[in-house]
Amino acid sequence: MLHIVVCIKQVPDTKIIKMNPKTNTMDRSSAPAILNPYDTHAVEEAVRLRARYGGRVSVLTMGPPPAVKAIKKCIEIGADEGYMISDRAFAGADTLATSYALTKALEKIAAEYAPVDLILCGKMTIDGDTGQVGPGIARRLDMPPLTSVNKVVELNLEERFAIVHRKLEDGYEVIQSTLPCLMSVEKTINEVPYSTMPNMLRAARYQPQIWAVSDLPNIDKTQLGLKGSPTIVSAVWAPQKPQGGKLIEGDAKQQVEELISVLMEQRILFEATPRGGEH
Amino acid sequence: MEREAEQFHGQHQGIWVFIEVKDGAIAHVSLELLGAGRMLADKRKSLLSGILIGDQVDHLADELYEYGADQVYVYDDPIYRFYRTESYMRALLDCIRKHKPEILLYGATSTGKDLASAVATDLPTGLTADTTQLDVEADTGLLQASRPAFGGNIMATILCKKYRPQMATVRPKVMKALPQQAGRQGVLIQERIAITEAQIRTKVLEIVRSTIQRVRIDEADIIVAGGKGLGSPAGFELIHELAHTLGGAVGASRDVVEAGWVAHHHQVGQTGVTVTPKIYFAIGISGAIQHIVGMQNSALIIAINKDPTAAIFQASHYGIVGDALTIVPMLIEAFKVAIGRKEEVDVGKI
C-alpha cells in the first residue's frame, strides 16, 4: 500500500511581518504563524495521490509545541496522521541539521507504520527560502531527489517508479525515477480547495504524536541543532533603504510631460534595446 | 550512505564555480559567478576554477578562460548529456574530494540549487542559498555570504567556519561578468569517474521548452510592472499596453500574481525573478520589501502610485503621485508621440 510522508513547517507569514524601524529587528509578534504555503500544496498533492492509488498520508514536522497547529491544518486538508519532533536539542538547526533530525523521525515512522514510498515537501519555506531540506532528506535516505515538481504523471507501485514533470526556467522536463523518491513541489502543482466539514471536525480534535530526541533511536546528538549546523548567521541587518528620488510635481499632464522630457534628456529610452529579451 | 566529515585542516584551496550548460552553451549566470569568483580568488591569491560537466563540452573551456577562469575541470561523457542530480553529484563529489576547493559557487537556478543541496548533504558542508553579496577574508579564507531572509525582510550574513568547501548558490543577475578577454588562456584538466547508467535511478524522458513567445523579464532592458493599485485585471491591461508601446516586458508584484491577473513568470521579487533592466516602471505597486529586493538594482526606477507615503517612492529615482488609471493612458499616448519623433530623426539621418 502507498505510504506518503509529507514534511511540513509552521512559518511566520512573511507577507505580514513588520520591521521595527528603530531597532532594525523583526517584530515577530506582528506575524501570524501559518502552514508554509508551499507545504499546503504538498499535502494536497499527497491527498490527491491517495485518492488515485489508495494508501496513507502521514505528515511530519519539527518545531516548538505551537506548531501542532500546522499539523492540524494538514489534517484539515485531508492527511491521515501527524507526527512532530519537538525538543530544545533541535533549536538553531540549519538545513543540514534539520534534514538529519527529520530523517531520524522518518525512519521511526517507517519502522512503526510502513515503509515510505514517497516523501513530499514544499519547494521551500517562506521564512528560510532555501529549498535545501528536502534534497537533504533524500540524500540521507539515499532516495533520488526530484525538485521543482509541478505534475505527478504516474506512480507505478508494482514496477516501483514515478513519472513527474520538473519545472525548468523555460519549460519542464519529464523525469522517470525509481520509488521510493522525494519530491519537492511547486505551488502550480494543484489548487487547494476549501476544507470539508468532516476534516475540520477531525482536525479540531486531532492530537499528533510528539517525540523528543530521546524517542528517536540511533540518533547522533552532535548532528542536531546549533551544534550540528555548519552554517552560522554572523550578522543581520535591514536591507539598505534606497534614498528616494525626485517626486514630479504638478497636475497629471505636467507630470507626464516632465517624465517624458526627463527620459528623452537622458536618452535612456533609446539606449535600451526594445524587446531585447524576447525569445 | 557513506559520510565523511570534511573538517577544515587548512589544505583546501582555490575558488570554484560550477558551470551550468544549457543547449550546448554556458549559462550566463556561470559567467557572472566567474566574475565574482575572480574577485575572491585575487583576494585569496589563489586559482579560479570552473567545473564543467556534460556531453561534448570541453570546447567550452576556452570561453571560461576568457571570462576569468585559470583552469577548468571537465567531466565529459554521454552519461552527462542531461542534467540529473545523481550523475552530476557523483562527478562533482569526486572532483571536490580529489582537489579540495576552499569555496564553491553555483547559480541559484533549478539545476544549481538541486545539485548544491545534494552535494552539501553528502560531503557534508554548509550551503548558503540565494546569496546576493559575497566577500572573503583575505587572510583566513572565510566566505561571507549574504542573502535576503524572511522573505526579504532582513539581510543575513552566513559563515561556515569549520567545514570545507564553503558553498553558496548565487542569484542570477546580481553579480557581474568580467568583460570577455579574447585569447586569455587557461589549463584544461580532464577528469573521469567510473559510472554506469544502471547506477542512476532517474531518466530524462523528455524536455519541453515553453513554446509561448514571451518577453523574458530577467533579460529585458525595459520592464513595466504593475500592482494591486491598478484595481482590476482590466486596469492591469494598461501595463501590457505600456510595455508593448515601449517594447518592454511586463512585470508584476506578488499580490497580483496571486490574484491571478497575470502568470507567475512575470513576478518580480524575492519569490519571483530578480531583474536589472535599464528602466523599471513600478505602477500601482506599494513597494513591499520582497518586491524591492528584486528590482532595486535597475538603472532607472520610476514609480507611479496614488499613495504619497508608499514605500516604492523611497526606492525610485523619479516618482509621480497620482492615479495610474489616469496617468498611464496619458503616458502611452505621450510615448507613442515621443518614440515616433525619434524614429523620424533616425530616418532623417540616413
Side-chain angles (χ1 to χ4, degrees):
Chain A
M1 195 183 59
L2 176 64
H3 185 201
I4 306 175
V5 183
V6 192
C7 296
I8 60 136
K9 188 185 181 189
Q10 187 181 58
V11 296
D13 189 342
T14 53
K15 254 198 282 192
I16 296 170
I17 207 161
K18 288 193 178 74
M19 295 295 287
N20 180 331
K22 282 181 190 149
T23 58
N24 277 339
T25 54
M26 272 179 303
D27 178 8
R28 282 169 189 262
S29 62
S30 68
I34 55 169
L35 174 61
N36 177 44
Y38 291 95
D39 299 348
T40 62
H41 295 275
V43 178
E44 172 66 18
E45 195 59 24
V47 168
R48 289 179 185 214
L49 291 171
R50 184 190 57 197
R52 268 162 80 184
Y53 301 102
R56 178 168 101 150
V57 175
S58 307
V59 297
L60 168 65
T61 195
M62 177 171 94
V68 165
K69 236 185 97 188
I71 290 190
K72 284 173 176 276
K73 179 71 195 170
C74 299
I75 301 290
E76 261 184 35
I77 297 169
D80 296 299
E81 300 295 339
Y83 303 87
M84 178 158 122
I85 53 172
S86 191
D87 199 303
R88 283 185 181 278
F90 299 130
D94 71 358
T95 55
L96 196 74
T98 300
S99 69
Y100 177 72
L102 289 171
T103 297
K104 288 291 153 188
L106 280 158
E107 286 169 354
K108 187 176 168 80
I109 293 169
E112 292 190 359
Y113 178 70
V116 177
D117 303 293
L118 180 61
I119 300 173
L120 292 179
C121 305
K123 178 194 184 178
M124 62 181 190
T125 59
I126 59 165
D127 58 347
D129 296 322
T130 70
Q132 290 168 192
V133 171
I137 292 169
R139 287 306 309 147
R140 289 177 185 282
L141 291 172
D142 196 23
M143 294 180 184
L146 305 172
T147 54
S148 297
V149 170
N150 60 9
K151 184 175 184 176
V152 180
V153 178
E154 183 186 355
L155 296 183
N156 191 318
L157 297 170
E158 270 119 55
E159 292 175 45
R160 306 295 293 164
F161 69 81
I163 296 176
V164 303
H165 290 184
R166 191 172 165 262
K167 186 174 173 250
L168 304 172
E169 273 76 15
D170 59 350
Y172 63 90
E173 57 184 5
V174 186
I175 302 266
Q176 179 168 337
S177 168
T178 56
L179 285 176
C181 65
L182 178 140
M183 303 174 187
S184 62
V185 307
E186 297 279 336
K187 280 182 173 179
T188 44
I189 194 166
N190 56 41
E191 279 182 30
V192 182
Y194 289 109
S195 308
T196 63
M197 189 53 81
N199 282 356
M200 287 168 80
L201 291 172
R202 178 160 183 261
R205 289 191 303 265
Y206 190 80
Q207 286 303 325
Q209 291 206 46
I210 301 175
W211 294 325
V213 167
S214 54
D215 296 317
L216 300 175
N218 306 320
I219 199 159
D220 172 7
K221 288 184 186 168
T222 65
Q223 293 194 48
L224 296 174
L226 206 53
K227 219 186 329 176
S229 298
T231 60
I232 54 159
V233 178
S234 74
V236 167
W237 72 93
Q240 206 181 355
K241 284 261 164 64
Q243 288 305 300
K246 187 178 184 249
L247 278 188
I248 297 173
E249 308 287 343
D251 64 22
K253 189 163 175 287
Q254 290 165 326
Q255 287 172 325
V256 167
E257 276 171 7
E258 189 176 341
L259 178 60
I260 300 279
S261 77
V262 163
L263 291 171
M264 298 292 282
E265 219 168 85
Q266 299 201 354
R267 300 195 61 77
I268 190 163
L269 196 55
F270 304 121
E271 284 161 10
T273 318
R275 300 203 180 278
E278 193 155 25
H279 284 246
Chain B
M1 183 173 52
E2 231 176 89
R3 283 177 183 287
E4 68 195 67
E6 284 277 307
Q7 292 275 354
F8 177 42
H9 297 303
Q11 79 274 42
H12 291 250
Q13 54 183 316
I15 314 296
W16 287 15
V17 172
F18 169 69
I19 305 300
E20 200 169 319
V21 178
K22 207 181 106 183
D23 298 336
I26 298 163
H28 196 264
V29 66
S30 301
L31 303 180
E32 294 162 20
L33 294 193
L34 286 175
R38 188 70 260 166
M39 179 273 287
L40 301 176
D42 290 347
K43 246 179 130 171
R44 282 294 284 157
K45 301 188 171 60
S46 62
L47 294 178
L48 175 65
S49 305
I51 312 299
L52 189 54
I53 304 171
D55 181 18
Q56 296 171 22
V57 289
D58 49 7
H59 66 282
L60 296 172
D62 292 336
E63 191 178 346
L64 300 174
Y65 307 140
E66 293 184 343
Y67 280 95
D70 300 311
Q71 52 184 30
V72 176
Y73 297 99
V74 181
Y75 289 78
D76 202 318
D77 190 294
I79 204 160
Y80 307 121
R81 181 167 168 226
F82 297 113
Y83 171 76
R84 288 180 294 174
T85 316
E86 291 183 304
S87 54
Y88 276 57
M89 183 192 78
R90 279 164 183 260
L92 193 48
L93 285 170
D94 173 70
C95 207
I96 293 168
R97 286 172 175 153
K98 210 147 92 188
H99 302 291
K100 302 191 187 311
E102 184 169 50
I103 291 169
L104 173 48
L105 307 176
Y106 310 72
T109 58
S110 59
T111 296
K113 296 181 83 156
D114 186 273
L115 180 61
S117 298
V119 167
T121 314
D122 275 59
L123 282 172
T125 191
L127 172 61
T128 304
D130 283 302
T131 308
T132 56
Q133 288 176 35
L134 289 169
D135 201 357
V136 67
E137 276 182 18
D139 49 344
T140 64
L142 191 63
L143 180 71
Q144 292 156 336
S146 302
R147 63 177 303 243
F150 281 91
N153 288 282
I154 56 169
M155 287 291 292
T157 301
I158 314 287
L159 309 178
C160 175
K161 289 185 174 170
K162 290 186 184 159
Y163 292 77
R164 293 296 180 271
Q166 305 165 89
M167 304 209 304
T169 63
V170 182
R171 279 220 154 191
K173 302 285 278 182
V174 176
M175 307 294 162
K176 292 250 179 307
L178 297 168
Q180 187 169 10
Q181 271 181 271
R184 189 176 177 276
Q185 301 282 311
V187 178
L188 188 72
I189 302 160
Q190 295 281 1
E191 299 282 354
R192 175 165 281 277
I193 53 167
I195 182 170
T196 64
E197 195 57 47
Q199 295 170 302
I200 311 300
R201 292 171 293 181
T202 57
K203 278 188 186 64
V204 177
L205 303 180
E206 194 184 358
I207 293 182
V208 182
R209 301 283 182 212
S210 178
T211 52
I212 306 162
Q213 280 279 323
R214 68 188 189 211
V215 181
R216 285 191 54 177
I217 58 171
D218 57 342
E219 292 175 8
D221 275 345
I222 300 174
I223 294 174
V224 183
K228 265 288 166 71
L230 290 152
S232 67
F236 198 86
E237 280 302 309
L238 290 171
I239 299 298
H240 289 284
E241 208 180 317
L242 179 55
H244 181 75
T245 305
L246 295 174
V250 170
S253 64
R254 174 158 85 174
D255 44 8
V256 306
V257 170
E258 285 184 355
W261 297 4
V262 67
H264 179 258
H265 64 258
H266 292 285
Q267 187 178 322
V268 173
Q270 175 70 5
T271 52
V273 182
T274 303
V275 297
T276 53
K278 291 182 175 158
I279 314 176
Y280 189 88
F281 289 90
I283 300 175
I285 290 174
S286 60
I289 186 71
Q290 292 91 334
H291 188 82
I292 288 173
V293 296
M295 50 63 96
Q296 62 192 357
N297 294 327
S298 305
L300 180 69
I301 300 169
I302 296 154
I304 302 172
N305 203 300
K306 243 188 280 195
D307 175 7
T309 66
I312 194 72
F313 289 121
Q314 291 302 314
S316 308
H317 300 95
Y318 291 95
I320 290 180
V321 178
D323 185 354
L325 300 181
T326 312
I327 303 277
V328 178
M330 293 168 70
L331 266 181
I332 292 168
E333 286 315 306
F335 276 127
K336 278 181 181 163
V337 173
I339 291 169
R341 195 184 301 143
K342 166 69 163 71
E343 281 164 359
E344 281 165 29
V345 172
D346 277 352
V347 169
K349 271 185 200 161
I350 296 161

